[in-house]
Amino acid sequence: MEVKVDAKTERVRIWEELLKVAKPDSKFSWQFSEFICDYEGSEKGTELLCATDMYKNAKVIFITPDNNLETLRERAFKDKKTVIMTNYGITRGFFLIEPGQIPEGKEEVASLLDGIGRYWKHQTLAQLSEKINHIDMMVTGASAITPSGIRFGKGHGYFDLEWAMLSTVGIADKDTVIIGAGHDCQVADVPVTVEEYDTAIDYIVTPTRIIETRHEFPRPSKGIIWARLAPGMREQIPPVQELWCRVHCK
């Protein structure tokens, strides 16, 4: 009988390796349990992804506010992609950056979380679904990733919640390509417990390669699983409140 690896134990090993290549966060320093770090070579992963047809053909991309995706955000702005983002913790909801909103030459500034606030426009889920027909690609950083397609290690579940919300309003679906970005040391082919809300990814991008996952797990289709929300999420995340009120505030 196969023994499931304790994700907390496995992440300790990964984070020990990650310390050798990681770049500290201005707020959280080396606390990998609180943020997705940047690392040596993340720009090479961006180049690999941007050379693919799936990126070139994507018109609308959702990109998480993770540190290792700064160069991807800059590139997407330069390539005139429509970008959807959230802030850290989704406490301010969803934001839209359309081609032309960022002045030429300011793409690098806008790739930073402090810089993007000068240009992005807040959107409720209702507004976002009116403007966006379909999200072609979603890209998230990850604490650890398995080739089977599961992210694990940090445990906050923000990306799973973002998928649940965007799929609920119909602008992300089975045709949306999901990418997980991390350093090579963060890829671990180990069995981990999979929850019903875990959003499996299609490809892993590292500084050296693109890995197509084994697609072992279906995408969640139940939307927000209200009973599984962490304490405070419903109160602190505006689009979660928005979806809650669609059902409970009538």
Side-chain angles (χ1 to χ4, degrees):
M1 180 177 177
E2 185 179 45
V3 178
K4 295 291 186 181
V5 172
D6 183 341
K8 291 183 179 180
T9 300
E10 182 63 15
R11 76 178 183 178
V12 170
R13 183 195 66 79
I14 291 172
W15 288 353
E16 287 175 350
E17 293 299 310
L18 190 58
L19 271 172
K20 301 174 184 178
V21 295
K23 299 178 182 180
D25 181 71
S26 60
K27 178 179 180 181
F28 296 112
S29 190
W30 305 105
Q31 294 177 283
F32 297 147
S33 61
E34 295 300 324
F35 77 109
I36 300 299
C37 71
D38 197 7
Y39 41 77
E40 296 174 10
S42 60
E43 73 283 352
K44 296 179 181 178
T46 292
E47 291 302 318
L48 287 174
L49 178 58
C50 292
T52 65
D53 287 338
M54 59 183 172
Y55 172 83
K56 293 176 182 178
N57 294 332
K59 295 180 179 179
V60 181
I61 305 178
F62 173 85
I63 306 176
T64 58
D66 295 318
N67 292 16
N68 65 329
L69 298 178
E70 283 180 5
T71 57
L72 177 62
R73 293 192 289 269
E74 179 183 359
R75 180 64 182 270
F77 298 148
K78 289 181 176 179
D79 290 340
K80 306 302 181 184
K81 306 291 188 182
T82 294
V83 176
I84 300 169
M85 285 184 62
T86 56
N87 70 305
Y88 180 80
I90 330 178
T91 55
R92 293 169 61 195
F94 288 94
F95 294 86
L96 185 65
I97 308 98
E98 296 179 286
Q101 281 181 225
I102 298 173
E104 187 173 347
K106 296 294 185 180
E107 295 89 355
E108 182 177 5
V109 172
S111 73
L112 307 175
L113 297 187
D114 288 338
I116 188 58
R118 305 176 189 180
Y119 307 109
W120 64 10
K121 294 182 179 179
H122 177 263
Q123 301 283 293
T124 65
L125 283 169
Q127 291 170 331
L128 201 58
S129 60
E130 287 179 0
K131 288 191 174 183
I132 302 296
N133 291 322
H134 185 257
I135 297 174
D136 303 304
M137 176 181 288
M138 297 179 69
V139 188
T140 179
S143 182
I145 324 169
T146 70
S148 63
I150 297 300
R151 299 161 297 105
F152 71 98
K154 191 157 79 73
H156 294 316
Y158 293 132
F159 183 72
D160 299 319
L161 189 55
E162 288 157 350
W163 162 263
M165 291 186 285
L166 294 171
S167 60
T168 294
V169 298
I171 59 176
D173 57 25
K174 62 181 179 60
D175 295 321
T176 301
V177 179
I178 301 181
I179 311 289
H183 193 272
D184 290 273
C185 71
Q186 293 174 280
V187 182
D189 197 357
V190 295
V192 294
T193 301
V194 180
E195 302 288 353
E196 58 184 335
Y197 53 76
D198 281 326
T199 307
I201 60 177
D202 300 308
Y203 295 90
I204 302 167
V205 178
T206 78
T208 66
R209 55 188 171 152
I210 294 179
I211 306 165
E212 183 171 4
T213 67
R214 296 193 293 265
H215 307 286
E216 294 181 10
F217 306 100
R219 300 213 180 143
S221 58
K222 297 179 180 179
I224 296 175
I225 303 173
W226 297 103
R228 303 298 300 273
L229 280 182
M233 275 189 164
R234 180 163 66 86
E235 294 78 11
Q236 296 169 7
I237 300 176
V240 171
Q241 296 174 19
E242 183 181 349
L243 290 180
W244 173 268
C245 279
R246 286 189 182 187
V247 178
H248 297 92
C249 298
K250 297 179 180 179

